[in-house]
Amino acid sequence: DFAPITMAASSPNILVVTPTFPVKSVRELIALAKARPAELNYGASGAGSSNHLSAELFKSMAGVNIVHVPYKGAPQALTDVLGGQVALNFSAISLALPHVKAGRLRLLGISNAQRSLLLPDVPTIAESGLPGYAMTTWVGLLAPAKTPQPIIARLNDALLRVVRTADSRAQFASQGAEPAENSAEQFAAFIRAESEKYAKVVKSSGMMRSEEH
């Protein structure tokens, strides 16, 4: 139904726990979860949200059973992590980072495939215990299907010029996002890959069956 033009920005999640939680790395978290199957839990803002998918992808790749506790919103889920009622959370940077800086949360890793421009000293989840892990939410521009290629190319060029401006980068950073630049072809390939990736996660997690009930 759509003709991809380009991705504009992407936002990683950060994996956080309370400072009293007995793990200090992704590797230690996986080991604890394997030793205590279905005893640990995580909070997420509803089925299919980015933090829900982040956690279910983590569980699938690590081969662990961590129980999903659904909330009406991300702030409520994070509040219970801060209070110790929930073990961990995959949170938006803008929401959790102030608590990390204040010492109220421990940051285990970031969900980007590569280290974030916003937090260059924070290791990725992939490099700190779960190789190949990558999850981001993203924003992009699409046109109606069958839009002529010259128009797609012109829109791609125009949007990338906007994304590269200092004002755009500053606005993205304020929301915990990073600018993204790719061609229409690269964006289309990315969407296909993401669709296949999360179709498997949704199926293996059973989240659609739980929603039906």
Side-chain angles (χ1 to χ4, degrees):
D1 296 325
F2 297 101
I5 297 171
T6 189
M7 190 188 305
S10 65
S11 302
N13 285 326
I14 51 177
L15 173 56
V16 293
V17 298
T18 57
T20 56
F21 193 67
V23 301
K24 294 184 178 180
S25 69
V26 171
R27 193 169 285 105
E28 289 181 6
L29 173 60
I30 293 172
L32 182 64
K34 287 185 175 180
R36 297 167 54 184
E39 292 184 28
L40 306 184
N41 54 20
Y42 74 92
S45 55
S49 61
S50 69
N51 45 20
H52 186 200
L53 289 171
S54 292
E56 291 300 329
L57 177 63
F58 183 93
K59 288 168 55 179
S60 176
M61 293 182 65
V64 295
N65 183 5
I66 303 175
V67 178
H68 172 218
V69 181
Y71 289 82
K72 292 182 178 179
Q76 292 92 332
L78 192 62
T79 294
D80 273 7
V81 178
L82 288 163
Q85 290 88 1
V86 175
L88 58 101
N89 184 252
F90 286 82
S91 177
I93 292 176
S94 58
L95 188 63
L97 191 58
H99 299 293
V100 172
K101 291 180 176 179
R104 292 188 292 267
L105 289 174
R106 177 183 296 143
L107 203 171
L108 301 185
I110 194 163
S111 67
N112 269 6
Q114 295 84 31
R115 291 202 181 197
S116 170
L117 299 173
L118 304 174
L119 300 170
D121 296 329
V122 176
T124 66
I125 292 171
E127 68 181 296
S128 55
L130 191 56
Y133 182 91
M135 196 284 178
T136 60
T137 58
W138 49 268
V139 177
L141 191 66
L142 301 100
K146 300 181 181 179
T147 298
Q149 185 56 37
I151 294 177
I152 295 293
R154 184 176 178 183
L155 290 170
N156 178 278
D157 179 69
L159 185 63
L160 291 183
R161 281 189 275 112
V162 172
V163 166
R164 291 169 184 148
T165 65
D167 285 348
S168 291
R169 291 176 180 271
Q171 181 66 24
F172 289 145
S174 72
Q175 300 178 43
E178 301 178 19
E181 301 181 21
N182 55 17
S183 67
E185 293 76 18
Q186 289 170 330
F187 188 30
F190 174 81
I191 292 173
R192 286 194 297 271
E194 290 285 278
S195 297
E196 294 173 5
K197 176 179 179 178
Y198 291 108
K200 294 177 181 177
V201 172
V202 169
K203 184 176 180 179
S204 66
S205 71
M207 65 176 71
M208 295 305 294
R209 291 193 297 275
S210 65
E211 283 295 288
E212 289 171 359
H213 292 94

